[in-house]
Amino acid sequence: MVSTAVVWKGSLILESAADKLATYYQLPPIVQGAVIEAVGSSFPELSTTVVATLIHGEFDLGVSSIVGSAIFNILVIPGLSGLMGKRLTFDRVLVYKDAQFYITSVTVLLLAFAFSLIYNPVANTRWQGTLNRPIALMPIALYGVYLFLQQQDTVEQQHNQKHEQLSPDIQVGKEWLRLLFSLALIVAAVEGLVRSAIGLGNVLNTPNFLWGLTIIAAGTSLPDAFVSIRAARKGQGDVSLANVLGSNIFDLLVAIPVGVLIAGASTVNFAVTAPLMGVLTLATIILFTMLRTNLVLSKKECILLLGCYIVFIGWMGLETFGITNWVL
């Protein structure tokens, strides 16, 4: 609980600094939501992979926390944003462009896991493979394409707008220092979350990845939730959704591969990751189907999204106590 509170506080500082820097550099709202705030609010997930892999040697814990965070982002954050904010309407271009790229991101990460099993199988195991650096570079390269597309959108929008005088109230150097301080604060807090998950797994004799999939995932997703809910209360549906999609794209294409790049190679249990990626894909289809209906997220649809997440958590509870064994 203390670590989650520190993650939240650090993320507030990070969001404030990133928002002022984005204003200073005159970035458009959608790019600010999809890249600046998304990467900033997703830094806890990135830290989870690095800390779990580098310090504790628990790559599966890092993967499960990020996939769990992505599921939380897709189901819970839009649901809460729609219930706590104003009526959410979305731009057709955002739904089609970012949604399609997000689905591509899920596919590429799943391919990376499959390639590790096909080309680098672990001896004397059935569903485990080694995810090495060359394979991990695949999703990172795709994220480079995503940044290029966002950069082109920025150039086009700035070209169509008149040059505005920069705000004299923004002290760039100070904001960069605040940004770096918040990043260090988040890393320390995430270390506490990872230790808590490992400790709960040992005390309750349950797999660590299940706690990463639920407790760490929810704790590290709080910054994303606050960013999107705040935008929803202002009636900025596009910014709210762009933050969710941008955060998940960063989590899947960068946060997981970075842990592999640091460790050199990590073992992936495809029997565990494939069902979880399947749940994420199903959650994605549900959300995008709702978004396509008049480009509006209704209150009933928001409640349905939250209900789907409750069902997911219930399933994880059944797995934890051995009532079902579809994943374990």
Side-chain angles (χ1 to χ4, degrees), residues 52-130:
T53 303
L54 189 61
I55 298 180
H56 302 282
E58 294 277 355
F59 180 72
D60 282 345
L61 178 61
V63 172
S64 65
S65 65
I66 290 178
V67 175
S69 176
I71 296 172
F72 184 94
N73 291 348
I74 284 292
L75 295 177
V76 176
I77 294 180
L80 291 178
S81 298
L83 292 177
M84 300 176 65
K86 298 180 180 180
R87 185 173 183 266
L88 294 185
T89 59
F90 305 96
D91 182 77
R92 183 184 299 271
V93 175
L94 174 64
V95 172
Y96 278 101
K97 185 191 70 173
D98 282 42
Q100 289 179 359
F101 200 95
Y102 170 64
I103 293 175
T104 303
S105 303
V106 175
T107 304
V108 168
L109 181 62
L110 187 58
L111 281 175
F113 290 152
F115 287 165
S116 66
L117 177 64
I118 295 171
Y119 298 110
N120 303 311
V122 177
N124 300 322
T125 63
R126 186 179 180 183
W127 295 110
Q128 295 186 17
T130 301

Side-chain angles (χ1 to χ4, degrees), residues 5 31 35 46 55 106 154 178 183-184 218 228 236 240 247 263 309 324:
V31 174
V35 179
L46 174 62
I55 298 180
V106 175
T154 303
R178 293 180 67 228
L183 297 181
S228 292
Q236 299 173 337
S240 178
S247 296
Y309 188 75
T324 62

